[in-house]
Amino acid sequence: MRASGLVVEYNPFHNGHRFHLEKTCEIDKESVKIAVMSGDFVQRGEPAVVNRWKRAEMALKNGIDIAAELPIFYSCQSAEIFAIGAVGILNELKCNNIIFGSETSNINALKEIAEIEENAEFKNKIKEYLSNGESYPTAHSRALKELKGNDITFASNDILGLEYIKAIKYWNSSMEPLLIKREKTGYYGENIDEGFASATAIRKFLKENKDITDLVPEESFKILKEENKNNRLVYLENFYPLLRYEIIRNKDILSDIQDMEKGYENRLYEMAVKNYDFRKFYEEIVSKRFTHGRTQRVLIHILTGITQELTQRVKKEVPYIKILGFTDKGREYLNYLKKEENNKIITSMKNIKDKFSDDVRELVEFNERASLIYKMVNFYEDSKIPLMIKGK
């Protein structure tokens, strides 16, 4: 059996994601479509607008065959670690290829630049620019320009694509990277183009209670409508009381948090003490050096307890693979995989005590605690077994 891997957040699943899936089917029609999807917290450093189970349901009802969760210790990280986790899971699931959207749609150019980024000179240039106070995206762009000798501008999907290519090498995987040209709106764009809008724009429209009927497939709209009706749409500011408590309570160990920079923990503490309002707090901690994405990731790391030590630990090996749901075709593929020795797949929390070591169970429980924190703000009903959806 063949499998195609997709790295997704579906926050929420929209028309652009459906387009991506349709193109994926054109590239490899017969393959099982496996999505590794961020759980309740996503790469940009935010809680997902709706919970992991509802987003998995959207995915399965729109053409995905297997939805596997990307745990919090991978999902809410820099592009490098996010990609290492996602590609590692797809590799464990024996995917033949990974298919992702790209603004440039030039796989050879991405492969060439991925090689440059492994170069010691490039890494030293990055460190030099960072030490001069540049943000990482700016440092990256300047270092690449200096070594390539011309202006190269990459958008968000291209940057993630570079990391996927490097992660394939990192895990010594035989997966083939394949591109789909990203059309219409940009990753962070807030415009609407012929029924297409970014997830960023759609989340904004949801927050403002604007109509998104034409921007998402029918199955997604029904789920979002129901979640909105039940007050289950979640945003970062909803977590500020919990976050403020964690910053103040853990002042002396904030320096151990992943992505924390020396001295920044003091500013976070001072601003948390000073500000009762999230917007005022946030305005005073974001900066040129600490971009929105990096700032938000640090906040989620504090909220959930992701440390530098934990991050280094999960880079060594993918500890487990939790399946959120599958179709009939997906179930057939999972049964095929279960014949393999040393299988890491979790379809029920009941079997983890006998199946995994204490170290792995600790990581499973860490991810589940992160979801409990999510549920403190917006309770949802957990599923004890994977969702089972009839495939289209």
Side-chain angles (χ1 to χ4, degrees):
M1 297 183 73
R2 288 182 55 79
S4 294
L6 298 88
V7 182
V8 304
E9 296 200 304
Y10 293 158
N11 188 31
F13 191 104
H14 56 65
N15 290 344
H17 296 134
R18 183 172 59 184
F19 174 83
H20 182 206
L21 260 177
E22 288 169 353
K23 291 296 180 183
T24 298
C25 290
E26 289 176 14
I27 292 171
D28 198 338
K29 185 177 181 180
E30 298 304 318
S31 68
V32 175
K33 306 304 182 291
I34 301 178
V36 56
M37 186 191 80
S38 298
D40 285 328
F41 294 93
V42 298
Q43 200 268 333
R44 198 179 176 183
E46 296 176 331
V49 70
V50 294
N51 72 72
R52 54 185 173 169
W53 297 104
K54 289 299 179 183
R55 285 163 35 247
E57 184 181 346
M58 291 181 200
L60 295 166
K61 286 183 173 179
N62 280 286
I64 290 295
D65 295 305
I66 298 171
E69 181 177 10
L70 186 63
I72 178 71
F73 42 77
Y74 293 129
S75 71
C76 192
Q77 294 273 16
S78 66
E80 176 195 1
I81 300 163
F82 176 87
I84 283 173
V87 171
I89 289 173
L90 293 177
N91 186 51
E92 293 281 352
L93 291 171
K94 310 294 182 186
C95 288
N96 300 90
N97 51 54
I98 175 172
I99 304 176
F100 56 91
S102 165
E103 286 83 2
T104 63
S105 70
N106 186 333
I107 190 64
N108 291 326
L110 291 183
K111 286 181 177 179
E112 180 187 355
I113 290 162
E115 287 292 326
I116 291 173
E117 290 187 356
E118 295 295 298
N119 186 299
E121 185 180 359
F122 176 84
K123 292 178 180 178
N124 288 333
K125 287 290 180 188
I126 289 278
K127 289 179 182 177
E128 177 188 336
Y129 291 132
L130 288 175
S131 66
N132 291 334
E134 301 282 3
S135 68
Y136 184 84
T138 301
H140 182 280
S141 178
R142 290 188 63 184
L144 203 55
K145 180 181 178 181
E146 190 164 334
L147 293 179
K148 278 287 284 182
N150 61 331
D151 281 318
I152 300 172
T153 303
F154 282 133
S156 301
N157 287 279
D158 289 323
I159 292 170
L160 278 172
L162 288 170
E163 296 301 337
Y164 298 149
I165 292 167
K166 289 192 287 185
I168 289 171
K169 184 178 179 181
Y170 180 91
W171 293 116
N172 193 27
S173 171
S174 60
M175 271 193 299
E176 182 184 4
L178 301 172
L179 303 185
I180 294 172
K181 172 71 173 174
R182 186 178 175 99
E183 304 283 356
K184 309 294 182 182
T185 62
Y187 188 77
Y188 293 122
E190 295 187 6
N191 60 305
I192 299 173
D193 189 345
E194 298 177 3
F196 288 87
S198 69
T200 300
I202 291 170
R203 290 193 300 274
K204 183 173 183 286
F205 297 152
L206 284 169
K207 197 172 186 179
E208 295 170 351
N209 209 26
K210 292 182 179 178
D211 183 26
I212 60 162
T213 310
D214 297 330
L215 304 177
V216 298
E218 182 181 358
E219 295 86 352
S220 296
F221 182 77
K222 288 177 181 176
I223 292 170
L224 289 168
K225 183 179 180 182
E226 186 66 19
E227 292 299 285
N228 190 25
K229 178 183 174 182
N230 292 319
N231 295 315
R232 288 182 183 163
L233 301 184
V234 179
Y235 304 95
L236 183 58
E237 58 263 35
N238 302 140
F239 289 84
Y240 185 53
L242 293 172
L243 179 59
R244 189 166 178 249
Y245 169 78
E246 289 293 330
I247 292 172
I248 293 172
R249 185 176 74 94
N250 294 316
K251 177 189 176 185
D252 295 335
I253 56 173
L254 289 179
S255 58
D256 297 330
I257 290 294
Q258 171 66 6
D259 285 331
M260 189 66 71
E261 192 170 288
K262 188 175 181 180
Y264 191 59
E265 73 274 19
N266 297 326
R267 181 162 185 80
L268 289 173
Y269 176 78
E270 290 167 9
M271 294 305 108
V273 170
K274 174 184 173 183
N275 293 292
Y276 292 87
D277 179 74
F278 176 76
R279 284 173 294 180
K280 291 179 180 177
F281 164 77
Y282 188 78
E283 286 169 4
E284 297 202 60
I285 62 169
V286 73
S287 66
K288 178 183 176 182
R289 181 68 176 269
F290 269 80
T291 59
H292 289 289
R294 187 179 179 190
T295 301
Q296 291 177 170
R297 281 192 291 272
V298 168
L299 296 180
I300 297 298
H301 294 163
I302 293 170
L303 182 68
T304 58
I306 298 176
T307 62
Q308 297 165 30
E309 185 276 331
L310 174 62
T311 301
Q312 291 306 310
R313 180 176 160 193
V314 297
K315 285 173 69 176
K316 295 175 184 176
E317 182 183 10
V318 171
Y320 69 90
I321 302 163
K322 181 173 181 177
I323 303 299
L324 296 175
F326 49 76
T327 61
D328 293 339
K329 188 175 181 180
R331 189 210 308 259
E332 184 183 353
Y333 186 77
L334 288 171
N335 288 335
Y336 157 72
L337 287 182
K338 284 180 180 178
K339 297 173 184 176
E340 302 267 339
E341 292 185 9
N342 301 319
N343 189 282
K344 297 181 178 181
I345 294 173
I346 296 175
T347 53
S348 170
M349 297 298 283
K350 290 180 181 178
N351 64 0
I352 66 168
K353 188 172 182 180
D354 298 327
K355 186 172 183 177
F356 296 110
S357 68
D358 290 345
D359 286 347
V360 172
R361 289 204 306 273
E362 182 184 326
L363 292 171
V364 173
E365 289 163 5
F366 184 95
N367 183 65
E368 294 309 304
R369 279 198 303 273
S371 286
L372 285 175
I373 292 169
Y374 182 96
K375 288 167 69 173
M376 287 175 72
V377 168
N378 205 335
F379 180 75
Y380 65 83
E381 187 175 349
D382 241 327
S383 180
K384 297 189 182 302
I385 59 172
L387 304 173
M388 290 170 271
I389 306 289
K390 287 284 183 184
K392 291 190 174 183

